[in-house]
Amino acid sequence: MITTLIATRMTAQSIEQTKQGVQFSAQNLDVKIEFYSNNIVRVYKTPQGVSYNKKSLSVVKLPENTTVSFEQKGNTTVLKSNSIQVDVNPVTGGISFYDNSGKLLLKDKDYGTQFSALDDAGMPSYTIRAGFLLDKEEPVYGVGQIMDNKFNRRNSSHHMQNENMSTYSPYFMSVKGYGVFWDNYSISDFNDNPQELSFQGIGHCSDYYFMYGKNADGVIAQVRDLTGKAPMLPLWAYGFFQSKERYTTQDESLDVLKKYRALKVPLDVIIQDWRYWPEFHKTDSLWNSQSFDKERFPNPKKWADEIHKLNAKLLIVTWPGFGPKTEQRKEFDSKNMIIKFDTWPPKSGARPYDVYNPEALDIYWRYLNKGIFSYIGNDGWWLDSTEPDHINKKDSDFLLPTHLGTYRSVKNAFSMMHNKGIATNQRLTNDNKRVVILTRSGFIGQQRYGSNTWSGDVASSWEMLEKQIPAALNYTLMGIPNWNSDIGGFFAGRWKKDGGNNNPEFQELYVRWMQFGTFCPMMRSHGTDLPREIWNFGERGSWCFDAQEKAINLRYKLLPYIYSTSWDVSHNNGTFMRPLIMDFANDSKTHEIGNEYLFGRSLLVAPVTQYKARNWQVYLPQGSDWYNFWTNEYYKGGQSVATETAIDKVPLYVKAGSIIPFGPEVQFSTEKKWDNLEIRIYPGADGEFLLYEDENDNYNYEKGIYSTITFKWNDKEKKLTIEDREGRFPSMLKSRKFKIAIANRNDVIADSSPKSGKLISYNGKKIVVKF
């Protein structure tokens, strides 16, 4: 390491200049500042004279070669890349971050980092607090999935302990275009008040990353650069999922799939919930044995094969806890790889394995692979209770040892590590099948593992539906793109006394939740107390059945748009659920709006969250003009619009300049080729869309085996250019037809379908279509 000693003019303090940063001591702290890139700066602090070698669970990036200039201004040392300026005061320990124009972004508060000695179950440790100074009215987002119906996280406090329905990471993003990730996995606290924003947790160092992206997209790109990209999920993962708590036999779930096929209602995935394993006289001592009960699942391989023959996929639930009579538990116990508190279900004696131990992750997969994956060939995993559930909590439980320290010091990373073990081992076992994981918790870095976090066992209520939206948006702003919820809410017992599935209010709640689910990264129906399959709400021709079918069919029509968005998420660090601040931060009204969002870069969704609401206020941000998706009515941005919302229509608007591909009507995602897509153009601005296609599963896209077609709309010339196709893959369409339809703002229609369009042939070579 190259070091240069820089003496300050007025004190005896000094700073050592390193290749891409500085190190110094101040306020009894040793501080290291290092540029990881032009846009990312790491700040690492330990008590003076107490070194600690931090190995991150989340961060995968190594420092890249970055040109950093150094300058001394009085007592201040100034470090600059081509994007960020960092001012350091070695007397107070204060650190200030600026953009390259000199605009102040954030202050690491003078005297703001504190270490208080802590005995962590016999291990010398610290309670650590890191404080920051923000502008008084500066909105920030992130922190986690929090069910408080708030979007802006200013002036709030949160105990960051990952549990069912609460998923946190010590991270925030500012509307000013920067983010901070405090790399700590302990049970922690976030607090923001007029004096400061702070994180407090336990550990041996204060370790954070300042990331500058200019805007929300840029910050998310830096988060992914730092902690890992999100891989592509297969096309089928964007279809419709059906499950319940629970299908008790292999025939029951197979019959559900057959009935969907008979009704011709689209479906791609069946999920098998808990207790498919032997119940051992119903004491649950064989809980999560990762094997099948011979009476209820006599031929699980044939069951999975039958599901596949019906062109559907199978997800199987597996838990982190094991009953005392399971072979897994016996091996984990013998190797001291069990965290010794009781997990779900109560009174079973089940306990979670130590996900922080790399060997334990491999052992877990060995059983899972032998008992399920390589045996029946399932297509994905439902990882329940990944916080995990904790029965009869005692304070002493949090002091229990894990491979990486006390449970409380690493608890919030449990889901990420559990997901890591399964995802990495599955890829090693079979690299031809993309990892798909449904999981109940998360942490920054988990996006690397093909994981989709759901919001937990939420109540079936209008209030809870409303809370889902800002919770999802803050979660996705942490750089973790995949999120979903139980359509209709998990616990629906409150509706039983009033007619259950025939209760009009529950039916309407379910329909509105399904409309929200249509515009989430995963569309999944699940719950307990009341069955959720579509026929339980009535027959075709009844309003509740028809409204659900309309939402499901719309989801499938949008698959070319959704799958192309998935490529944008994976390749360009994009985001599915885009809070309005991502695209319209200059419109200050968007800073507090957490009940509507863009799905992809074109569709503005404002889910209805109140009973019998047939008129819904939707804010259309300034900076674009808008079309009502259902009617083609045209609106200027910067206004609230009273939107008629029939029970079968979610308020949905399209940004002017959008180009949206619509696919065929299908019963499952890959039933028909995309050889006759409708390309719908919404004039009013120039626009561009990249249509992405590949083999729909496997990881060949990582080797460049995919194709893209770019569509460009010139609004002034009313001209659509379809560029040369880029790339190729073996099953690629060599020629196809596109129906080009223009949304006419003067042609108000009764539904979303345009009246006419130009049919053109395309063979991969550039075409210009004029209107």
Side-chain angles (χ1 to χ4, degrees):
M1 177 182 289
I2 302 172
T3 63
T4 303
L5 193 64
I6 306 172
T8 62
R9 297 177 182 177
M10 300 180 65
T11 74
Q13 299 290 336
S14 62
I15 289 185
E16 285 185 87
Q17 177 183 323
T18 60
K19 182 181 178 183
Q20 294 184 179
V22 294
Q23 58 188 27
F24 63 96
S25 297
Q27 305 303 322
N28 295 313
L29 298 175
D30 289 332
V31 182
K32 296 179 182 178
I33 300 172
E34 183 176 16
F35 277 78
Y36 265 49
S37 70
N38 282 308
N39 294 77
I40 301 175
V41 178
R42 184 188 188 187
V43 178
Y44 188 79
K45 304 179 184 181
T46 54
Q48 191 168 1
V50 182
S51 62
Y52 180 70
N53 182 22
K54 167 76 174 289
K55 294 182 179 180
S56 179
L57 302 179
S58 292
V59 174
V60 295
K61 184 180 180 64
L62 297 174
E64 62 185 70
N65 288 331
T66 305
T67 300
V68 181
S69 67
F70 300 84
E71 183 180 358
Q72 195 67 30
K73 293 183 177 180
N75 278 353
T76 301
T77 300
V78 179
L79 294 74
K80 285 185 179 179
S81 70
N82 65 13
S83 297
I84 305 173
Q85 173 181 321
V86 183
D87 288 7
V88 181
N89 185 327
V91 179
T92 65
I95 304 167
S96 299
F97 300 90
Y98 301 81
D99 67 14
N100 57 11
S101 71
K103 177 185 175 183
L104 177 64
L105 298 170
L106 177 71
K107 285 188 176 182
D108 179 336
K109 189 178 179 183
D110 291 5
Y111 316 107
T113 303
Q114 301 172 12
F115 284 78
S116 301
L118 173 72
D119 183 332
D120 192 22
M123 173 73 70
S125 188
Y126 300 91
T127 299
I128 309 164
R129 186 171 167 281
F132 301 92
L133 294 179
L134 282 66
D135 293 345
K136 184 178 180 182
E137 303 297 332
E138 176 184 350
V140 299
Y141 312 96
V143 183
Q145 170 199 277
I146 304 168
M147 302 295 181
D148 63 357
N149 208 25
K150 295 179 181 178
F151 183 44
N152 182 358
R153 288 282 141 225
R154 292 306 301 271
N155 299 306
S156 65
S157 297
H158 305 284
H159 185 58
M160 295 192 295
Q161 179 172 321
N162 284 354
E163 301 289 358
N164 186 357
M165 299 185 288
S166 299
T167 302
Y168 298 96
S169 291
Y171 162 93
F172 67 92
M173 170 195 287
S174 168
V175 77
K176 292 165 68 173
Y178 71 85
V180 172
F181 172 48
W182 195 57
D183 191 12
N184 183 293
Y185 327 107
S186 72
I187 297 171
S188 307
D189 290 287
F190 168 87
N191 183 50
D192 180 70
N193 56 45
Q195 286 72 49
E196 67 173 5
L197 181 153
S198 67
F199 293 112
Q200 182 168 305
I202 61 175
H204 299 86
C205 61
S206 175
D207 184 14
Y208 74 84
Y209 296 81
F210 176 89
M211 299 164 285
Y212 183 55
K214 295 185 179 180
N215 53 39
D217 273 306
V219 175
I220 288 173
Q222 301 308 318
V223 173
R224 303 256 181 88
D225 183 32
L226 183 69
T227 65
K229 283 183 169 284
M232 289 282 289
L233 299 185
L235 178 61
W236 60 260
Y238 301 105
F240 182 52
F241 289 58
Q242 182 65 64
S243 68
K244 77 171 189 178
E245 192 279 300
R246 62 189 164 90
Y247 299 127
T248 57
T249 69
Q250 66 181 55
D251 288 338
E252 183 183 1
S253 57
L254 194 56
D255 287 344
V256 166
L257 174 57
K258 289 176 179 177
K259 192 161 184 178
Y260 269 99
R261 292 289 180 253
L263 286 169
K264 298 190 181 302
V265 175
L267 181 70
D268 259 274
V269 184
I270 283 285
I271 304 180
Q272 179 58 51
D273 203 347
W274 60 9
R275 289 192 173 119
Y276 54 84
W277 46 78
E279 295 190 51
F280 202 77
H281 305 299
K282 302 189 178 182
T283 63
D284 281 321
S285 58
L286 285 176
W287 180 266
N288 195 38
S289 64
Q290 297 165 338
S291 61
F292 295 91
D293 181 90
K294 292 181 180 179
E295 292 185 8
R296 295 175 296 112
F297 293 82
N299 195 334
K301 179 68 169 67
K302 181 181 178 183
W303 169 56
D305 289 346
E306 289 295 319
I307 289 171
H308 292 150
K309 286 177 185 177
L310 288 166
N311 299 296
K313 306 297 183 182
L314 174 64
L315 260 63
I316 298 280
V317 79
T318 183
W319 292 62
F322 294 96
K325 299 290 186 181
T326 60
E327 292 304 310
Q328 295 93 325
R329 174 66 175 277
K330 293 173 185 177
E331 181 169 355
F332 282 134
D333 273 334
S334 71
K335 296 180 178 179
N336 199 27
M337 294 178 181
I338 285 290
I339 307 176
K340 296 179 181 179
F341 65 79
D342 291 340
T343 188
W344 189 267
K347 300 180 181 179
S348 67
R351 289 182 170 178
Y353 80 114
D354 186 353
V355 300
Y356 310 102
N357 187 321
E359 184 183 352
L361 296 179
D362 293 340
I363 292 171
Y364 188 100
W365 175 254
R366 172 162 42 88
Y367 284 101
L368 192 62
N369 182 45
K370 180 181 179 182
I372 301 178
F373 186 65
S374 288
Y375 173 33
I376 70 169
N378 62 300
D379 305 283
W381 306 103
W382 181 4
L383 305 187
D384 208 339
S385 186
T386 52
E387 311 86 17
D389 281 305
H390 194 155
I391 307 299
N392 301 319
K393 287 188 182 78
K394 302 185 293 290
D395 289 345
S396 58
D397 289 348
F398 294 100
L399 299 178
L400 290 168
T402 76
H403 185 72
L404 294 180
T406 61
Y407 179 55
R408 69 178 178 181
S409 71
V410 290
K411 172 179 169 51
N412 285 349
F414 192 101
S415 178
M416 179 173 66
M417 301 307 292
H418 184 43
N419 280 247
K420 174 185 178 180
I422 291 169
T424 54
N425 277 298
Q426 180 181 315
R427 283 205 66 170
L428 290 171
T429 304
N430 182 354
D431 202 36
N432 290 318
K433 181 180 288 190
R434 292 180 198 167
V435 175
V436 176
I437 290 175
L438 172 64
T439 185
R440 203 174 71 179
S441 191
F443 196 85
I444 287 177
Q446 186 168 289
Q447 73 274 2
R448 301 192 293 265
Y449 304 123
S451 304
N452 193 312
T453 298
W454 96 92
S455 58
D457 299 341
V458 298
S460 178
S461 70
W462 292 100
E463 295 79 11
M464 187 55 80
L465 171 57
E466 185 177 29
K467 291 176 180 178
Q468 300 302 292
I469 306 168
L473 299 185
N474 272 310
Y475 188 73
T476 200
L477 285 174
M478 299 197 302
I480 311 175
N482 295 315
W483 181 96
N484 73 108
S485 64
D486 292 346
I487 290 175
F490 181 68
F491 289 111
R494 61 179 294 184
W495 303 104
K496 278 187 174 182
K497 66 182 186 330
D498 296 317
N501 292 82
N502 295 317
N503 181 303
E505 186 175 355
F506 176 65
Q507 290 184 332
E508 185 163 329
L509 173 64
Y510 186 77
V511 165
R512 292 305 193 190
W513 211 312
M514 178 166 281
Q515 291 168 351
F516 170 51
T518 303
F519 298 96
C520 290
M522 180 182 286
M523 185 184 186
R524 182 183 58 88
S525 170
H526 179 70
T528 192
D529 301 315
L530 295 173
R532 310 301 170 88
E533 297 82 10
I534 190 170
W535 52 85
N536 291 295
F537 296 88
E539 298 179 349
R540 181 176 276 119
S542 64
W543 70 264
C544 191
F545 185 107
D546 290 354
Q548 291 181 58
E549 187 176 29
K550 184 171 186 173
I552 296 169
N553 279 324
L554 177 58
R555 174 75 171 200
Y556 278 83
K557 292 281 285 183
L558 286 170
L559 280 181
Y561 173 81
I562 295 170
Y563 200 53
S564 297
T565 298
S566 176
W567 171 248
D568 181 49
V569 168
S570 180
H571 188 67
N572 301 317
N573 300 306
T575 303
F576 283 107
M577 302 177 76
R578 300 175 61 82
L580 300 187
I581 58 125
M582 293 193 72
D583 297 278
F584 304 99
N586 290 333
D587 182 348
S588 61
K589 290 183 180 178
T590 68
H591 297 176
E592 303 293 334
I593 295 177
N595 63 347
E596 56 186 77
Y597 59 96
L598 266 65
F599 185 64
R601 297 182 185 269
S602 298
L603 296 172
L604 189 154
V605 191
V608 175
T609 57
Q610 293 177 12
Y611 184 39
K612 290 186 176 179
R614 299 295 180 263
N615 197 292
W616 200 248
Q617 288 292 322
V618 180
Y619 182 70
L620 303 176
Q622 193 169 19
S624 177
D625 294 338
W626 301 91
Y627 288 82
N628 184 313
F629 175 80
W630 303 106
T631 68
N632 272 357
E633 291 175 280
Y634 187 81
Y635 296 90
K636 291 290 184 181
Q639 63 173 316
S640 291
V641 176
T643 304
E644 290 187 13
T645 81
I647 188 60
D648 63 345
K649 293 178 181 176
V650 62
L652 189 61
Y653 286 82
V654 187
K655 187 167 62 174
S658 294
I659 303 169
I660 300 180
F662 287 81
E665 290 188 2
V666 293
Q667 300 305 299
F668 54 93
S669 58
T670 56
E671 181 186 15
K672 299 176 183 177
K673 291 183 178 294
W674 293 350
D675 55 356
N676 198 357
L677 296 182
E678 177 186 307
I679 308 298
R680 207 175 293 180
I681 300 166
Y682 292 84
D686 292 344
E688 184 173 321
F689 185 85
L690 185 142
L691 178 68
Y692 172 86
E693 295 170 290
D694 63 13
E695 295 172 302
N696 300 324
D697 207 339
N698 74 44
Y699 289 97
N700 286 341
Y701 74 90
E702 294 181 345
K703 305 169 188 175
I705 302 175
Y706 61 86
S707 73
T708 60
I709 301 171
T710 300
F711 297 78
K712 294 180 180 179
W713 171 251
N714 184 309
D715 197 60
K716 183 178 180 180
E717 298 180 17
K718 298 295 180 280
K719 180 177 70 176
L720 177 69
T721 302
I722 308 175
E723 300 286 2
D724 290 342
R725 181 179 56 229
E726 299 285 340
R728 62 186 303 108
F729 58 94
S731 58
M732 179 183 73
L733 290 167
K734 302 297 191 298
S735 61
R736 66 207 304 170
K737 295 187 185 310
F738 292 125
K739 177 186 176 183
I740 312 299
I742 306 292
N744 187 340
R745 69 183 74 178
N746 298 315
D747 182 19
V748 177
I749 54 179
D751 59 41
S752 63
S753 302
K755 293 182 177 179
S756 62
K758 287 188 177 182
L759 191 64
I760 65 166
S761 296
Y762 177 76
N763 63 5
K765 298 300 181 181
K766 181 176 177 178
I767 291 179
V768 177
V769 185
K770 293 186 177 181
F771 291 85

